[in-house]
Amino acid sequence: MATPDLADAALLAAVADAGGFRAAAERRGASASSISDAVRRLEEACGVRLLNRTTRSVTPTEAGARLLARLRPALAEIEDAFDALGGDEETPTGTLRLNVPTIVARRVLPPIATEFLRRHPGVRMEVVAEDSFVDVLAAGFDAGVRYEERVELDMIAIPIGPRRQRFAAAAAPSYLEARGRPEHPRDVAAHARIGHRFARSGLLPAWEFARGAEVVKVPVEGPLVASALELEIAAAVAGLGLIYTFEDALSDEIAKGALVPVLEEWWLSFTGPLLYYQSRRHMPSPLRAFVDFVKGL
């Protein structure tokens, strides 16, 4: 078996990212035939087909997708190492555009952004906070923050902020006095529920509770469904029903006693947010500085 060539592996990733040989060739300033030859050499060296080729599309095979998932972080680190040569004296300047969920903008990003901007006065940061799932690159952003299940497969993703988070269920004392306290997630079906609908997709997720191997899902039905977390929390504090959302979003009201936690042993735990961006040979200096800063946290 021939030894796979790292340069050929980088061209495989370029084809997968561009969606075809011609588009990859335009981005790389090379010929489509030379890139096709490189991918063919890599497939021969690996002894497995890595790309499905049709007249309309070029997509990774199952083996190719597994290989790319392992290759992309390594290729990004190699690019970072070369780009860092001679870059110690460079002061990053320009605008960094980020798209983040509202909970991240409220609870995760503030201390990170302020310290980063303090260290890099030449950088201007623009942040759009929304809970719809947009194509950040197509929308003109340099990077985005999302949770694991919402990160595109062809992106590089690194943790930002807490490594684990939880959803928390709570209600106002007045509501619990009037309606009683749920002792099991199945009891939630008999209670008023304040739901969150994602504005762009219209998705209204069911509430998911977990304890050990047992998982209970409860559909959302109640007096209020909104796409604004502040409105949902205010409704819960007013005693309109149970709320189930990010623990960080409810912590202030719980600390004040305006909301009372319920079903704590069933709160769903999940991986914290990820900063994600496209691996590019010439990454803008504000984005590169921000990625390096987040990696060092």
Side-chain angles (χ1 to χ4, degrees):
M1 172 178 171
T3 302
D5 188 284
L6 186 59
D8 292 346
L11 290 176
L12 171 71
V15 172
D17 291 340
F21 290 97
R22 183 172 298 177
E26 291 175 355
R27 294 183 184 182
R28 290 276 177 162
S31 68
S33 61
S34 65
I35 294 180
S36 179
D37 289 341
V39 173
R40 188 175 297 110
R41 284 195 303 269
L42 186 63
E43 289 179 325
E44 291 174 355
C46 295
V48 64
R49 180 180 293 276
L50 300 172
L51 293 177
N52 289 316
R53 304 163 176 84
T54 70
T55 56
R56 294 187 177 183
S57 66
V58 177
T59 58
T61 63
E62 183 179 352
R66 291 199 307 269
L67 178 62
L68 286 167
R70 300 283 299 273
L71 279 177
R72 283 193 173 101
L75 290 171
E77 290 296 330
I78 292 172
E79 289 182 359
D80 287 348
F82 280 108
D83 287 346
L85 288 175
D88 293 341
E89 298 178 1
E90 181 183 353
T91 300
T93 58
T95 301
L96 174 63
R97 297 176 178 86
L98 301 176
N99 183 282
V100 307
T102 54
I103 186 65
V104 170
R106 290 179 58 188
R107 293 288 182 171
V108 175
L109 194 58
I112 295 173
T114 52
E115 180 59 26
F116 170 74
L117 293 172
R118 189 177 293 116
R119 294 189 189 184
H120 300 284
V123 175
R124 176 174 178 264
M125 184 180 289
E126 292 184 6
V127 179
V128 172
E130 58 181 345
D131 293 321
S132 55
F133 304 117
V134 301
D135 182 333
V136 295
L137 298 181
F141 296 98
D142 297 299
V145 176
R146 289 291 181 268
Y147 287 86
E148 191 169 23
E149 70 277 8
R150 297 295 180 179
V151 174
E152 288 86 344
L153 294 177
D154 60 347
M155 293 288 188
I156 304 298
I158 60 173
I160 181 171
R163 300 303 186 254
R164 299 293 299 176
Q165 289 184 285
R166 294 192 300 176
F167 285 132
S174 59
Y175 176 87
L176 296 177
E177 290 173 7
R179 299 288 298 273
R181 185 186 186 97
E183 300 298 336
H184 190 279
R186 288 190 294 269
D187 300 338
V188 172
H191 285 263
R193 283 145 277 163
I194 298 168
H196 182 85
R197 187 186 298 278
F198 290 98
R200 191 180 297 261
S201 68
L203 179 65
L204 178 62
W207 290 359
E208 184 173 333
F209 299 89
R211 185 174 66 180
E214 187 177 2
V215 176
V216 179
K217 292 185 178 182
V218 183
V220 176
E221 296 179 8
L224 176 68
V225 172
S227 59
L229 187 56
E230 291 82 359
L231 176 59
E232 297 157 28
I233 295 173
V237 170
L240 292 184
L242 300 176
I243 188 170
Y244 189 49
T245 187
F246 290 91
E247 182 180 11
D248 291 340
L250 301 182
S251 58
D252 290 344
E253 300 301 335
I254 289 175
K256 291 187 297 186
L259 291 175
V260 177
V262 297
L263 301 171
E264 292 97 322
E265 68 274 19
W266 288 91
W267 291 358
L268 185 68
S269 174
F270 50 92
T271 303
L274 301 169
L275 173 70
Y276 73 103
Y277 54 95
Q278 187 178 48
S279 176
R280 288 182 288 182
R281 175 166 294 181
H282 300 296
M283 188 183 294
S285 62
L287 176 57
R288 182 170 301 283
F290 189 63
V291 169
D292 290 343
F293 177 76
V294 171
K295 286 181 176 179
L297 294 176

